[in-house]
Amino acid sequence: MVQAGAKPVNWPALVSEWAPDYTKPENMAVAELYNQHGGAVSLAAQYVMAQISAGVVKAPEWFAQPVTE
């Protein structure tokens, strides 16, 4: 496919294009995929969440709002 001109992308880049706004409830489900299979993305997200939980850093405004379904 590359020889025919296709540009390969990895799955996190593709999913980020599909669900760029994580403030929406339906897109929050993507976070679980990253958490389970995200590699470095998962580690970074878990690190930030641990810092927020420990009170080291403040959660962003959009994150503090409850998600309603």
Side-chain angles (χ1 to χ4, degrees), residues 21-24 28 59-67:
D21 182 11
Y22 292 100
T23 60
K24 296 180 181 178
M28 287 293 286
E61 278 186 36
W62 61 265
F63 184 78
Q65 298 178 11
V67 176

Side-chain angles (χ1 to χ4, degrees), residues 9-44:
V9 297
N10 58 13
W11 74 267
L14 180 64
V15 171
S16 294
E17 289 290 326
W18 287 346
D21 182 11
Y22 292 100
T23 60
K24 296 180 181 178
E26 59 272 12
N27 294 349
M28 287 293 286
V30 175
E32 186 60 29
L33 285 174
Y34 277 127
N35 195 24
Q36 292 176 359
H37 307 287
V41 173
S42 174
L43 291 175

Side-chain angles (χ1 to χ4, degrees), residues 34-56:
Y34 277 127
N35 195 24
Q36 292 176 359
H37 307 287
V41 173
S42 174
L43 291 175
Q46 290 175 20
Y47 176 78
V48 170
M49 293 304 296
Q51 297 298 308
I52 291 170
S53 296
V56 177

